[in-house]
Amino acid sequence: MDNENVCKPIDLEAHNSIYAPALEELSFNLNDLLGNLPCTHGDDDDNTTALCLPNEIWIMIFKRLSHGDLLQVNLVCKEWCQLARTTVLKRTSTLVINKQNVNDIYHLMEDSSLNYEKVMIDDLLDEFTNVEQAVLLKIFKHLGSNIVELTVYRLSTLSAINDVLPKLKELYLGKVRSKENVPVNFNKFSNLEGLLMPLYNQALLSSLNQMSRLRLEKLSLTLDCLHQGYFDLLSMCAQSLRWLQLSIPTKVNSTTLIRLQETFTKVSQLERLDICAVGNTECRRAILENLPKEAPLKALNFRLGEDHDLLELIVRKWSNSLECLTLTCHKLTRNSVEQLSFLSGRLRCLCLYSIRTGPKDLLHSIAPKINKTLTELKLNFPIPAVALFSVLIQRLPNLTTLYLLGHTSNITDEEIGYIFRYLTHLRKLSLPPCVGKNNIKYLCSKPNISNLKGLRTLASCLCPIRVLHIINVDFQFKDLSQLHLHDCNRNKRLTQMFLDIGRYLPALEVLWADMFDNNDVQKIRESCPRLRRAFQYRRMF
C-alpha cells in the first residue's frame, strides 16, 4: 500500500474551492514537544529509549503529519504501524483504484487495515475489462461498508458496485460522460448528503428523480433549460441544501427565471453558494433577490457584471453571516468599493479576481483601517504601487494565506521585504516572479523569508530562498512540504541553485517547477530525500 499508484492523498479543492473556511491552522512543532517530554530507559540497555505517551497523544501527533510522513511512520515499529492505520487517520487519505493496481489491491484485502473511507475509481481513460470489474466488485464487498466518499468516472462502474455502499455520503460524478446511459439505483444510497453532477446526463438525472427520498446538503450541477429534471432535482433538495455550486448558460428563457425565483425562496438553510458560472445577469439577480435573508450564508462566489447594486444587496442581507467572499468583475464602482469597505473587519477570506480599480480604492475596500479578522487574501490583478502595498500589508497582521495571482504582474524586492517583515503568520504564500532589476544582493539587505517559520506551501521564484544560502543563514523550513518555483530574470543555472538550497527544505514532498528537465530529477531527489512527487508543466517526471 506504500506504492503511490495505490494510495495517495487527493485534493478535492475542485469540489469546494472557495468554501473551505479560512481557519487559522495550529502551529505544531514535534521536536519542541519531544524535547520537553520525559523518557523511560530500559534497565538492561542504556541505548533503548521509549517515549511515555498514551496512544491518544500519538494519534493527535500523527494527524498533523502529511500522507507521505504517515507512510514512513508505518515503518518505524509495530506499535506505530498499528496506530498509523487507525480509522481516524485513514480519513486523511484516498484509496485510488485503477486498471494498473486493481489486482494488487484485491490481493491485499486480507489485511484488515484496508478500510479507507475515501475512494476514487480512476478508469476515465483505461476502462476496466469484465474480469477486472468482477475483481473491483470483490474489493468493494470488502471495503464498501466503510466508504463515505466516492469519486467515479463511469456510471457502469457505479452500477456494478451499487449494492455495497450502505454508508455513502458524498458522490463525485463530475467527469461522467453525457452519453453514458446506465441506470443507477440511488435508493441504495440512503445516507447520501453530497452530489457533484456531470454535464447533461439524462440517464443519471432520471435515476435521481426516481428516488423515494432525497435530501442533499451539498449539490453541484448545471441547470439545462431544455431538461426540466434539473430544476426538479434542485427543487427537491431546496430545503435541505447547505452547499450549492450552480452553473447556468448565458441565454435563458422566462420559464427558467420563474423557476429560479420559486426554487430559491425555499433554500432557507444555505451556507455556501457558488454562482460564478451563472453567466446571465437576470439569473444572478433572481437567485440573490429570492434567497431568504434568514439563510445563514457564510461563503459566496459570484461574478459582478453590470449589476453593481447586487453587492449592496448582499451586504444588506448577509453582512452579519458572510465570512468568505470571492468576487470577479472587470471594474469596481465607487459604490462597490464602499460596500466592500463595509465588509472589512467581518470577512475571514476575500478573493478578488480580474478587477480594474484604482490602488487607493483597492486599499480602502480591503483594509480602510487595521483588519485583524482577515486571514486569507487572494488578489488577481497588478500589485499596487510600493507605498500603498506596504500600507495594505501592515493593515493585515493576521494573514495566514496570501496569493498574488496577477498573470501580468511582477513583484519587487521592496514588496517581498514588506511581506517577510510584517506577515510572519503566513502558512500559504503565492507570489509572482520578482522583477529582478537589481542584483540579488539588494534583496539580501531586506527582511528575508526565514521570518515565515510556519510556511507550509510556497509559490515563488527561487530568489527568496537563494538569499538564505547567500547570507549563510542557519535555518530550515520544517513544515514546508509543497513548493512551486517560477522562472525569473535573476535565475539561470537553476538546477545547481536548487541543489544549494535543498538543505533549507527538509520536509519538501511535492515540487512544481517551470525550469528543470528530466535529467535533473535524480539530483533533486538526492538533495530532498522526502520528495515524493515532482512536476513540470503539468507533467510528472
Side-chain angles (χ1 to χ4, degrees), residues 96-107:
V96 179
I97 306 175
N98 55 38
K99 190 178 180 71
Q100 288 70 40
N101 67 27
V102 64
N103 289 310
D104 293 332
I105 292 177
Y106 173 67
H107 292 304

Side-chain angles (χ1 to χ4, degrees), residues 251-298:
K251 295 182 179 180
V252 298
N253 52 36
S254 58
T255 303
T256 298
L257 290 174
I258 293 173
R259 292 215 62 176
L260 280 175
Q261 293 169 354
E262 293 174 346
T263 301
F264 273 86
T265 58
K266 298 181 288 186
V267 185
S268 59
Q269 303 299 316
L270 198 64
E271 297 180 1
R272 308 182 185 277
L273 174 64
D274 184 348
I275 53 172
C276 189
V278 175
N280 185 281
T281 300
E282 293 178 313
C283 288
R284 292 196 295 268
R285 182 172 294 278
I287 292 169
L288 293 172
E289 286 184 344
N290 288 278
L291 183 63
K293 181 180 180 180
E294 295 73 25
L297 197 63
K298 295 180 180 179

Side-chain angles (χ1 to χ4, degrees), residues 45 78 83 98 186 190 224 322 375 406 409 422 456 513 536:
D45 187 354
K78 189 177 296 184
L83 289 175
N98 55 38
F186 279 88
S190 58
D224 183 356
L322 201 60
T375 59
S409 294
Y422 297 111
R456 297 177 181 177
Q536 178 182 4

Side-chain angles (χ1 to χ4, degrees), residues 62-259:
F62 294 162
K63 282 177 68 175
R64 305 190 186 276
L65 300 180
S66 68
H67 176 74
D69 286 338
L70 277 178
L71 293 181
Q72 297 300 315
V73 165
N74 275 311
L75 306 177
V76 174
C77 64
K78 189 177 296 184
E79 289 75 14
W80 278 22
C81 181
Q82 292 174 349
L83 289 175
R85 297 186 178 191
T86 56
T87 301
V88 67
L89 294 176
K90 288 292 184 182
R91 292 171 184 165
T92 63
S93 300
T94 296
L95 178 66
V96 179
I97 306 175
N98 55 38
K99 190 178 180 71
Q100 288 70 40
N101 67 27
V102 64
N103 289 310
D104 293 332
I105 292 177
Y106 173 67
H107 292 304
L108 287 169
M109 284 196 311
E110 293 181 359
D111 184 349
S112 60
S113 67
L114 194 65
N115 56 357
Y116 288 82
E117 295 187 358
K118 299 179 182 180
V119 176
M120 170 190 283
I121 305 176
D122 186 4
D123 59 346
L124 181 63
L125 300 178
D126 295 321
E127 186 175 3
F128 291 124
T129 64
N130 291 336
V131 174
E132 290 167 341
Q133 197 165 77
V135 173
L136 182 69
L137 178 57
K138 292 179 180 178
I139 293 173
F140 270 81
K141 285 181 178 178
H142 178 80
L143 296 177
S145 60
N146 294 313
I147 295 174
V148 296
E149 184 179 296
L150 178 65
T151 302
V152 179
Y153 295 152
R154 296 177 186 269
L155 287 184
S156 56
T157 302
L158 180 60
S159 180
I161 58 176
N162 205 131
D163 298 331
V164 292
L165 298 165
K167 295 182 180 179
L168 188 66
K169 290 185 177 181
E170 295 197 10
L171 181 59
Y172 298 107
L173 304 173
K175 294 186 179 180
V176 168
R177 295 168 181 171
S178 58
K179 295 182 179 180
E180 191 176 7
N181 187 16
V182 178
V184 178
N185 185 0
F186 279 88
N187 285 308
K188 296 286 186 178
F189 308 143
S190 58
N191 295 308
L192 193 64
E193 296 176 356
L195 179 64
L196 175 65
M197 286 282 288
L199 290 173
Y200 315 129
N201 188 290
Q202 190 60 41
L204 180 59
L205 186 62
S206 299
S207 298
L208 281 165
N209 286 326
Q210 290 174 10
M211 286 190 69
S212 56
R213 177 184 176 275
L214 185 63
R215 291 184 58 81
L216 296 177
E217 295 184 3
K218 184 175 180 179
L219 178 63
S220 174
L221 82 162
T222 297
L223 286 178
D224 183 356
C225 303
L226 300 178
H227 296 91
Q228 293 302 311
Y230 286 93
F231 288 94
D232 294 337
L233 174 61
L234 180 60
S235 180
M236 189 189 313
C237 304
Q239 294 182 349
S240 60
L241 281 176
R242 298 180 180 274
W243 187 106
L244 177 62
Q245 186 176 44
L246 199 60
S247 176
I248 303 177
T250 303
K251 295 182 179 180
V252 298
N253 52 36
S254 58
T255 303
T256 298
L257 290 174
I258 293 173
R259 292 215 62 176

Side-chain angles (χ1 to χ4, degrees), residues 466-482:
R466 274 189 64 202
V467 167
L468 301 180
H469 178 68
I470 294 172
I471 63 178
N472 196 25
V473 173
D474 183 15
F475 172 80
Q476 288 185 325
F477 290 102
K478 296 181 180 180
D479 296 320
L480 201 153
S481 61
Q482 296 194 40

